[in-house]
Amino acid sequence: MNARTLVAAIALLGVGGCVTIPREAGFGDVQQLLAERGVGRVHWNQGTAADADVERHVADLLSRPLDVNYAVQVALLNNLALQATYEDLSVAQADLVGAGLLGNPIFDGELKLADGEGPVIELAVVTDFLDIFFIPARKRLAGQAFELAKLRVAGEVMSLAHRTRQAFYTAQASAQALDLHRTVLQAAEASRDFAKRLHDAGNINDLAYASERATYEQAKLNLADAELQATEDREALTALMGLPAPTAQLQPRLPELPANELSLDDLEQKALERNLTVALARRQIESNARALGITRSMGLFANAEIEAGVAAEREGDGAWAVGPAVSLPIPLFNQGQPAVATAAAEFRRARHAYGAMTVDIRSAVRAATARVQAARVRAEQYRNVLLPLRSQITQQTQLHYNGMYVGAFDLLRAKQDEVTAGAQYVQALRDYWLARSALEALVDGWFEGASTSAARSLTGTSTNPSSSEATHD
């Protein structure tokens, strides 16, 4: 063997350096997860011709008054934070590809000069010998991390859809309430103006006039508060939809109560089976269990670097000496016990966190179900009882006013009370839709209220089983 052999070895080790990373990066699997949960179209902008089609589709949606489903669709296609989340798939995909590659060889060279002799050259090319054995285990861990990334991305999509739905109902209710506050202000203004005329004519005293003025001024303040609330709620929705300005038109009224309520049977079990956060926690246990098994079988070599390669030395007389080179640590003090203990702790933590999450989500589903039922009862009470009563009172007051049994203030106050009841119905209707969308998100989507310990278990996992971080999140 000579220097040409060494160069050939370097060239051989360089073969395989040409790898490609798929751009799709598991996005199809994410789309499948979302389709199973009834989520609308999602698209990953990657500079393809499809991007322009998506832009046209978004523009078409924004050209009409949006209902909640269209607003969610705009958010899913237009939210840049979601596009950033999709890059997590590329990172996980790259990690998976990288896990299947040998570590780069290390080239080492030395030049020594001595009196009366020619230069001495020492060259060596070595690579981590353990890589050959760690690659299958590393690929399994990277594959697990890739699957976790898909679940996390799908969960982020579900979370955005849920938050957009909540923001839409809130913004729609605020706009509807704002219109009612304007009506109340008009009625209060009419009452105040009428009181002024009576007061100027000496038909009412200062107390009665001051009372009407106070009612009007309070209505002005309430309207200002309602305007601010409507603006804030609208901006929150605009940001979720990824729009630079609040240009989207919303359908003006909240949808009425649906005739049929959600089936509330077995919701806890459905949530445990379908909720993406729970699925992610299950996957995390599997990943940690696999990491524990790998660490137990290979823990002796944790942090170890066993290098093997070819070394060459050119003596002063010009002759080359070429031969194998190897370096390895002696496992005298660290025999892998800390790595195994860490992996075992990570596995136990993930298992306990999963148990805690199942308890949390069952409780959350029961609470959400109760909120839906209570909100529906409250909205029905307004719709079926209070609103008709307030309308009847206004009509009867009008008749009494025509017969001069009550004054104009009584009639105006009856109208104000009717409008106020309408505003309270809007709030009750909003609360119902918020509660219902939250329950649907719990069953099919993402559990925002995961406990801290559970949330910690849902972070990423190292794909390098040869390091002490292999079993860390």
Side-chain angles (χ1 to χ4, degrees), residues 227 308 349 374 443 458:
E227 287 175 337
R349 185 175 72 174
V443 174
L458 303 182

Side-chain angles (χ1 to χ4, degrees), residues 215-408:
T215 301
Y216 168 72
E217 297 299 333
Q218 185 62 52
K220 284 175 61 179
L221 288 176
N222 293 343
L223 176 62
D225 292 342
E227 287 175 337
L228 176 59
Q229 188 64 55
T231 299
E232 291 178 345
D233 293 341
R234 184 60 182 270
E235 288 298 338
L237 176 62
T238 299
L240 288 171
M241 291 197 294
L243 301 176
T247 53
Q249 300 178 46
L250 310 185
Q251 290 190 354
R253 298 178 64 85
L254 284 165
E256 290 294 331
L257 291 174
N260 299 316
E261 192 49 81
L262 289 171
S263 173
L264 303 180
D265 298 333
D266 302 325
L267 283 183
E268 293 178 41
Q269 189 59 38
K270 289 178 182 176
L272 293 179
E273 293 172 355
R274 295 174 59 82
N275 187 280
L276 286 172
T277 321
V278 178
L280 182 59
R282 277 198 297 266
R283 284 276 188 173
Q284 188 68 63
I285 293 176
E286 296 171 6
S287 178
N288 285 20
R290 182 158 293 175
L292 174 59
I294 292 171
T295 307
R296 276 177 174 161
S297 60
M298 308 184 78
L300 180 64
F301 302 103
N303 297 322
E305 293 183 0
I306 301 179
E307 295 176 342
V310 178
E313 181 175 343
R314 181 180 181 277
E315 301 293 346
D317 58 1
W320 282 91
V322 181
V326 64
S327 67
L328 69 163
I330 302 173
L332 188 60
F333 304 110
N334 183 355
Q335 298 178 350
Q337 297 95 332
V340 172
T342 301
E346 295 285 1
F347 172 67
R348 292 193 300 271
R349 185 175 72 174
R351 196 174 53 184
H352 292 318
Y354 173 75
M357 181 177 294
T358 59
V359 171
D360 288 350
I361 203 165
R362 281 181 180 277
S363 176
V365 168
R366 289 193 296 271
T369 301
R371 281 194 291 273
V372 170
Q373 293 171 326
R376 185 179 183 93
V377 168
R378 182 178 176 81
E380 287 177 338
Q381 179 74 2
Y382 273 106
R383 184 191 63 183
N384 300 335
V385 179
L386 285 174
L387 286 181
L389 271 178
R390 286 297 178 190
S391 178
Q392 182 183 358
I393 290 171
T394 301
Q395 293 172 7
Q396 291 295 319
T397 305
Q398 178 71 55
L399 293 176
H400 283 68
Y401 174 76
N402 294 341
M404 301 181 68
Y405 293 110
V406 298

Side-chain angles (χ1 to χ4, degrees), residues 169 255-258 260-262 371-377 379 426-438:
Y169 289 135
E256 290 294 331
L257 291 174
N260 299 316
E261 192 49 81
L262 289 171
R371 281 194 291 273
V372 170
Q373 293 171 326
R376 185 179 183 93
V377 168
V426 170
Q427 292 177 2
L429 204 54
R430 177 204 61 188
D431 292 344
Y432 168 78
W433 286 112
L434 292 180
R436 177 168 170 144
S437 66

